[in-house]
Amino acid sequence: SLISAASERERTRFQTLFETNTDGIVILDRQGFVQCNTATLRMFRIAGQDDFLRLRPEDLTAPGMVGASSAKASLKRHIGDAFEKGHSAFEWSCRRSDASEFPAHIDLHAMRLDGRPHLQCIIRDVTLQKEAEQALKAAHAEAIAATEIKSQFFANVSHEILTPMNGIMGMTHLLLGS
């Protein structure tokens, strides 16, 4: 009884961690999805776990990925690597149920459940990070352009001042000589 109470507390603790995580967590075996947390359902805008479990990993791939067959092959390779090597991490373009897309970082970790190989898939929506990277790149490009404009301005101003100054200096030299 004491062991079953401790076991139940452990199960409750892990279930709470699984359900309260803000990243999508999906458990899959070699046949497909087995379980997902509520963050996954929110992330992909899917009403219930049963609807999600009917999907295949490639159903969650954005159509804009390289090509349907090569994206499917790439996904299969990542999953195979995780089963064989224990881990695989990659960037992916995901598709929600409403056809909207979002960039994600995906970590696959191999584990054994009920004596069979499974993968824990952690999906992190990196939309905000990608937007920040784009903003940083744009700001960097603007700074380089502003520096170039400033350099051109000073070169032009320098030329516009030096040319008349050289004329004035030359005329002054001639006047001093006479």
Side-chain angles (χ1 to χ4, degrees):
S1 172
L2 194 58
I3 293 172
S4 72
S7 175
E8 184 59 29
R9 276 196 310 277
E10 278 298 302
R11 193 184 77 65
T12 301
R13 182 184 325 171
F14 285 110
Q15 187 67 30
T16 302
L17 286 170
F18 182 76
E19 286 302 328
T20 59
N21 201 308
T22 56
D23 289 335
I25 302 176
V26 179
I27 307 298
L28 59 145
D29 61 14
R30 293 192 188 274
Q31 281 70 49
F33 299 132
V34 175
Q35 188 178 7
C36 70
N37 67 352
T38 53
T40 302
L41 299 176
R42 280 193 306 272
M43 190 178 291
F44 287 97
R45 298 180 184 153
I46 295 175
Q49 185 167 314
D50 290 341
D51 293 333
F52 183 84
L53 297 181
R54 284 189 206 95
L55 299 172
R56 305 279 308 147
E58 56 269 18
D59 296 333
L60 304 175
T61 298
M65 294 284 295
V66 182
S69 60
S70 62
K72 188 175 179 177
S74 178
L75 194 56
K76 193 173 182 175
R77 189 183 76 251
H78 286 298
I79 291 171
D81 283 352
F83 273 119
E84 292 167 27
K85 299 174 184 169
H87 179 254
S88 182
F90 54 97
E91 298 286 317
W92 202 252
S93 185
C94 296
R95 179 181 177 273
R96 295 184 181 99
S97 64
D98 62 6
S100 64
E101 299 175 13
F102 67 95
H105 177 80
I106 298 179
D107 275 300
L108 299 173
H109 301 275
M111 60 184 188
R112 293 192 75 74
L113 291 174
D114 302 322
R116 294 184 12 245
H118 285 75
L119 293 179
Q120 176 190 48
C121 175
I122 300 170
I123 307 164
R124 176 164 290 157
D125 183 340
V126 292
T127 301
L128 295 177
Q129 291 92 318
K130 294 292 181 185
E131 288 171 355
E133 285 173 18
Q134 291 296 76
L136 190 59
K137 285 179 186 174
H140 183 258
E142 286 176 26
I144 289 173
T147 301
E148 182 62 31
I149 289 169
K150 186 170 77 173
S151 295
Q152 287 176 354
F153 173 77
F154 283 123
N156 287 343
V157 167
S158 176
H159 175 74
E160 294 297 325
I161 291 173
L162 281 177
T163 302
M165 285 300 283
N166 284 336
I168 291 169
M169 295 296 283
M171 291 299 276
T172 305
H173 185 65
L174 284 173
L175 285 173
L176 287 174
S178 57

